[in-house]
Amino acid sequence: MKILILTSGGDAPGMNMILATLYKKFGKNLYACRAGFKGLINNDIVPISEFEPMKYAKEAGSCIKCSRCPDFQTTEGFNKGLNNAKCFDAVIVLGGNGSYQGCCELNEKGVRTVFIPATIDNDVLISDYSQGYHTAVKACVSTIENTMPTMDAFDRCCIFEVMGRNCSRIANCVSLNYQCDYVVLKKKDLDYKKMAEIIKNKKELGQGSCILVKERIVKLQTIIRNLQKYNPDIEYRSCTVGYVQRGTNPTFIDLEYARSFAKLAINVLTKTKYSTAIVYKKDDFDIIYRNEEGGMHSLRKKGGQEVVESIIEN
Ligand code: F6P
């Protein structure tokens, strides 16, 4: 069986562990597109061994490279990619919603596909968990924990911005794991008067304060300018947590998820003929497969618990 794999969109901690686990199983039969769908379009495809996946197994990033590839959405780009994909028995796609879309389109044109949700944002519609989310949250909490002591030392206010694109999950989870003084998940949360009051009270107690803001809502400098109007005596600092969320080495939990996602992909490829998505739903792994009529089904529901357990456990 000749299998192709690609990592698409933003990289996610644990992608390398998925690649290494698949390489361990498929060896020279596993090929990789360099930089996601871009590599698929340009036929930039080599045996994955050239990227030394075992060396990077526990590291963040993607050793086979990522890209955002608008060209794959054009008819010309898609058809080029499709022709190259057809040279393989199956294509495994790691990525977020956009990558899933691309994966489904390949599948609709006759390519056998396996999708694995992998994005720090944890916003993949078909899965409750996507690879890398735990590490991203941990990186945010660590950054805040390691910054606040110095803010406290000066009674300063620090505004932290965390990634998550259009999804508040990371910011929300961070706020549950670090007692922030104020959290902005949406534009309507920007109540400067209320924020300023909280910051002032903290300063009066001889403490710094921590404001958490989800990215893509407002510029941090705008927040500072508005708060300064109320509290001109307070010193403000800002910290964009940003790419540390993606570049931090995967947590043990994310390494565990990565091995499970990969193991399930191996099992569905070797034991079934289905095109599938490996998902995590209601606190357990499941496999969503596409039948001949194009319908999507949960293997857990359709085949009963036993079938899915045997695929998951073996
Ligand atoms: O989708 C993952 C993500 O890290 C988002 O949280 C963020 O908005 C975006 O990617 C950043 O993208 P880029 O790497 O293209 O700057």
Side-chain angles (χ1 to χ4, degrees), residues 295-314:
M296 300 295 279
H297 300 280
S298 151
L299 200 60
R300 216 175 254 287
K301 276 198 201 133
K302 196 82 178 168
Q305 202 75 356
E306 269 171 37
V307 180
V308 75
E309 291 302 337
S310 75
I311 289 186
I312 287 172
E313 276 160 23
N314 292 320

Side-chain angles (χ1 to χ4, degrees), residues 15 18 46 69 84 89 92 111 115 131 133 140-141 149 171 185 189 219 237 276 287 309 311:
M15 272 182 169
I18 297 179
V46 293
C69 181
N84 295 326
D89 297 305
I92 306 173
V111 177
F115 175 76
Q131 184 64 52
Y133 172 67
C140 294
V141 174
L185 300 179
D189 298 331
K219 287 201 177 95
R237 294 291 185 269
T276 61
I287 295 157
E309 291 302 337
I311 289 186

Side-chain angles (χ1 to χ4, degrees), residues 165-184:
R165 198 173 284 271
N166 302 317
C167 178
S168 311
R169 281 217 175 127
I170 292 178
N172 198 33
C173 190
V174 171
S175 75
L176 296 174
N177 288 287
Y178 185 91
Q179 191 143 14
C180 304
D181 295 298
Y182 197 90
V183 182
V184 179

Side-chain angles (χ1 to χ4, degrees), residues 10-11 68 119-121 163-165 170 215-216 243 246:
D11 50 292
R68 305 199 186 275
T119 162
I120 59 163
D121 301 338
M163 276 184 171
R165 198 173 284 271
I170 292 178
E215 70 168 350
R216 297 178 189 227
Y243 295 101
R246 296 216 308 243

Side-chain angles (χ1 to χ4, degrees), residues 5 16-31 47-55 63 92 262 266:
I5 190 160
N16 280 326
M17 178 55 86
I18 297 179
L19 300 176
T21 309
L22 290 164
Y23 173 59
K24 244 197 251 171
K25 170 69 188 173
F26 294 116
K28 61 179 175 28
N29 294 320
L30 185 63
Y31 291 74
I48 197 168
S49 56
E50 290 193 14
F51 293 99
E52 302 185 272
M54 300 314 289
K55 195 165 134 187
C63 66
I92 306 173
I266 291 167

Side-chain angles (χ1 to χ4, degrees), residues 238-257:
S238 63
C239 170
T240 303
V241 181
Y243 295 101
V244 171
Q245 292 171 240
R246 296 216 308 243
T248 293
N249 282 342
T251 58
F252 290 127
I253 295 269
D254 260 329
L255 289 175
E256 192 58 29
Y257 274 111

